[in-house]
Amino acid sequence: SQTIHQWPATLVQPVGSPLSLECTVEGTSNPNLYWYRQAAGRGLQLLFYSVGIGQISSEVPQNLSASRPQDRQFILSSKKLLLSDSGFYLCAWKGDSRNYGYTFGSGTRLTVV
Amino acid sequence: GQSLEQPSEVTAVEGAIVQINCTYQTSGFYGLSWYQQHDGGAPTFLSYNGLDGLEETGRFSSFLSRSDSYGYLLLQELQMKDSASYFCAAVPLAGGGNKLTFGTGTQLKVEL
């Protein structure tokens, strides 16, 4: 079966510290992968997407970066966190079906203090 | 670019029918999807309209009218567990990573 894993579930980090969030997908190959961020009570903002290894497209200029070192691994990083980086980070994978349904990971709730 | 507008909040009673609207402005558009998100959880896929008209999946139905730049999600026989946020999402034309643009979201509150 196809599954998506995201960790950690929660994270509290001081301003200026680095960040690394990891997302892996099982049961598929060459998936389209996405990182979204959701502020409290708000919609989902697309941060990055990747259609293959080493291929990263950035949607919003910001303090974050993404990498795809392996086919089924997508990493979100920051060298120095800002208070405004707080939010709910979601990794998503577009399935192979024609209904364009995304499967989301369980999310990481990041609080920068 | 794309923008999708939804009412911020809708309240309905258990057993009722509720409609959540989504109006959009987009320069390129392939279809409309709907997602449900419970508090603290991740969004889950509900339905997809690639063609104009109604798609039915159990208690949930979704409708799309491209000529009106409008869609809606219809929830029937509301249950308390349907209390959640609902998002429409535009599926772009082929290419560009098939990246979804999400609507502003509607918080549905189901009351006894």
Side-chain angles (χ1 to χ4, degrees), chain A:
Chain A
S1 64
Q2 299 158 333
T3 57
I4 181 168
H5 302 280
Q6 187 181 343
W7 65 92
T10 59
L11 197 58
V12 179
Q13 293 284 98
V15 169
S17 64
L19 173 74
S20 181
L21 303 180
E22 188 165 342
C23 171
T24 59
V25 180
E26 295 180 357
T28 186
S29 59
N30 198 31
N32 284 5
L33 296 173
Y34 310 85
W35 279 110
Y36 282 85
R37 177 170 62 195
Q38 186 176 35
R42 305 290 294 276
L44 289 88
Q45 178 188 36
L46 178 64
L47 302 176
F48 301 94
Y49 72 92
S50 172
V51 299
I53 296 174
Q55 300 180 60
I56 307 295
S57 294
S58 174
E59 290 294 299
V60 181
Q62 57 208 326
N63 187 41
L64 302 169
S65 61
S67 62
R68 186 163 174 180
Q70 301 180 43
D71 181 44
R72 287 169 286 179
Q73 184 185 31
F74 202 22
I75 297 173
L76 183 69
S77 304
S78 174
K79 292 183 178 179
K80 291 185 178 181
L81 285 169
L82 306 172
L83 287 175
S84 57
D85 291 324
S86 294
F88 191 40
Y89 288 82
L90 291 153
C91 179
W93 156 61
K94 178 190 171 302
D96 301 328
S97 68
R98 295 185 178 183
N99 65 15
Y100 294 91
Y102 277 20
T103 300
F104 283 84
S106 53
T108 296
R109 193 162 303 280
L110 172 66
T111 304
V112 182
V113 296

